[in-house]
Amino acid sequence: MSATVPDVPRHSPGDPPPAADPVLTLTGERTIPDLDVENYWFRRHQVVYQRLAGRCAGREVLEAGCGEGYGADLIAGVARRVVAVDYDEAAVAHVRARYPRVEVMRANLAELPLPAASVDIVVNFQVIEHLWDQAQFVAECARVLRRGGSLMVSTPNRITFSPGRDTPINPFHTRELNADELTELLLGAGFREVSVSGLFHGPRLRELDARHGGSIIDAQIELAMAGAPWPPELAADVAAVTTDDFDIVDSGRRDIDDSLDLIAIAVAP
């Protein structure tokens, strides 16, 4: 018989209201909603949750590395149960206060605090590149998943995110991956039927790329590095980005090495 996830304290309608929502600041380590200056990156991450949430319908889901919690809450709208784990105490307190339908706990992702074979799906979006021991984490995902369950991972494509660099451009990243490296990592932990898709700019974002010197990403990064104010045109364009402006394309239909982010789905052994 499969194990079950231990109960995590959460608020119910009869409980007193939680303490005031701890505010998470924008540090570059994680994205957060409701900030115009961060909107491009937030939508780029949010689109993967939106497109893959249907796979979680009626399932018991673990989000390993939940950050601000908006993604876990989105999945909670369709899943039977969502348990979220993050190492950062402030993030855990924020999720507990803001997203009461998510069960959240603090833990090291290299030692997931769940029994073996206790969840149907593990979600790990834009997190694995932050981990020092990626192989240990993936092995833990295989351990907590029920047989035939799914691990869903998204991560920046090393080839386009830190081109020509030996170390990641983002100081919070420990090791970035290309599609082959991500596939090998998952297969090495015993996962099977690994499929990898790529996230790309859609037509409107390609127009914005052309409007801002060839890359709306580089335009944002250059100004941030210089500490310079944003031109009104860039600020308005970034604030107007939506999840519809991104395309997720199977590797068989487009060169995966050209993608901005990689999205892998693998079946547990």
Side-chain angles (χ1 to χ4, degrees), residues 152-184:
M152 304 194 298
V153 178
S154 76
T155 189
N157 178 9
R158 175 173 60 80
I159 296 172
T160 59
F161 200 80
S162 298
R165 293 175 59 95
D166 293 330
T167 57
I169 192 170
N170 187 320
F172 295 103
H173 293 181
T174 60
R175 180 195 175 207
E176 294 169 357
L177 305 163
N178 64 27
D180 289 342
E181 292 163 344
L182 178 57
T183 300
E184 291 169 6

Side-chain angles (χ1 to χ4, degrees), residues 102-185:
V102 174
E103 304 174 44
V104 63
M105 66 180 84
R106 181 178 182 269
N108 188 331
L109 299 193
E111 298 179 356
L112 294 172
L114 278 71
S118 59
V119 294
D120 302 305
I121 295 177
V122 175
V123 171
N124 181 250
F125 292 161
Q126 301 294 327
V127 173
I128 199 166
E129 67 275 4
H130 294 261
L131 304 181
W132 288 104
D133 196 339
Q134 295 172 344
Q136 171 63 21
F137 165 68
V138 174
E140 277 289 275
C141 292
R143 180 184 66 81
V144 302
L145 278 165
R146 296 178 178 127
R147 183 175 180 82
S150 297
L151 170 61
M152 304 194 298
V153 178
S154 76
T155 189
N157 178 9
R158 175 173 60 80
I159 296 172
T160 59
F161 200 80
S162 298
R165 293 175 59 95
D166 293 330
T167 57
I169 192 170
N170 187 320
F172 295 103
H173 293 181
T174 60
R175 180 195 175 207
E176 294 169 357
L177 305 163
N178 64 27
D180 289 342
E181 292 163 344
L182 178 57
T183 300
E184 291 169 6
L185 182 66

Side-chain angles (χ1 to χ4, degrees), residues 31-268:
T31 190
I32 59 178
D34 307 322
L35 284 179
D36 284 353
V37 72
E38 178 68 5
N39 185 59
Y40 168 84
W41 299 100
F42 172 68
R43 300 302 180 188
R44 178 166 156 177
H45 293 184
Q46 184 189 33
V47 64
V48 182
Y49 287 99
Q50 288 184 343
R51 305 279 174 90
L52 297 186
R55 293 175 175 268
C56 301
R59 305 295 186 89
E60 289 191 287
V61 180
L62 166 68
E63 181 166 25
C66 62
E68 194 274 344
Y70 67 90
D73 185 64
L74 188 155
I75 292 170
V78 298
R80 184 162 72 86
R81 186 183 187 193
V82 176
V83 176
V85 172
D86 203 278
Y87 189 71
D88 184 73
E89 290 182 355
V92 170
H94 173 85
V95 173
R96 186 170 290 127
R98 184 168 184 177
Y99 303 114
R101 62 183 177 177
V102 174
E103 304 174 44
V104 63
M105 66 180 84
R106 181 178 182 269
N108 188 331
L109 299 193
E111 298 179 356
L112 294 172
L114 278 71
S118 59
V119 294
D120 302 305
I121 295 177
V122 175
V123 171
N124 181 250
F125 292 161
Q126 301 294 327
V127 173
I128 199 166
E129 67 275 4
H130 294 261
L131 304 181
W132 288 104
D133 196 339
Q134 295 172 344
Q136 171 63 21
F137 165 68
V138 174
E140 277 289 275
C141 292
R143 180 184 66 81
V144 302
L145 278 165
R146 296 178 178 127
R147 183 175 180 82
S150 297
L151 170 61
M152 304 194 298
V153 178
S154 76
T155 189
N157 178 9
R158 175 173 60 80
I159 296 172
T160 59
F161 200 80
S162 298
R165 293 175 59 95
D166 293 330
T167 57
I169 192 170
N170 187 320
F172 295 103
H173 293 181
T174 60
R175 180 195 175 207
E176 294 169 357
L177 305 163
N178 64 27
D180 289 342
E181 292 163 344
L182 178 57
T183 300
E184 291 169 6
L185 182 66
L186 298 176
L187 291 174
F191 284 92
R192 53 191 173 85
E193 300 176 32
V194 179
S195 63
V196 182
S197 302
L199 181 140
F200 298 85
H201 282 178
R204 200 175 78 88
L205 270 170
R206 291 197 296 271
E207 292 177 4
L208 296 184
D209 283 333
R211 186 185 303 173
H212 296 286
S215 172
I216 194 171
I217 300 171
D218 291 346
Q220 295 175 79
I221 292 174
E222 287 170 8
L223 290 171
M225 298 283 286
W230 286 21
E233 297 82 1
L234 177 62
D237 284 343
V238 168
V241 171
T242 74
T243 56
D244 291 336
D245 294 324
F246 296 92
D247 293 334
I248 295 178
V249 183
D250 295 340
S251 58
R253 295 193 292 123
R254 193 164 175 181
D255 188 349
I256 201 76
D257 288 345
D258 293 335
S259 67
L260 299 170
D261 293 331
L262 304 168
I263 301 105
I265 301 175
V267 178

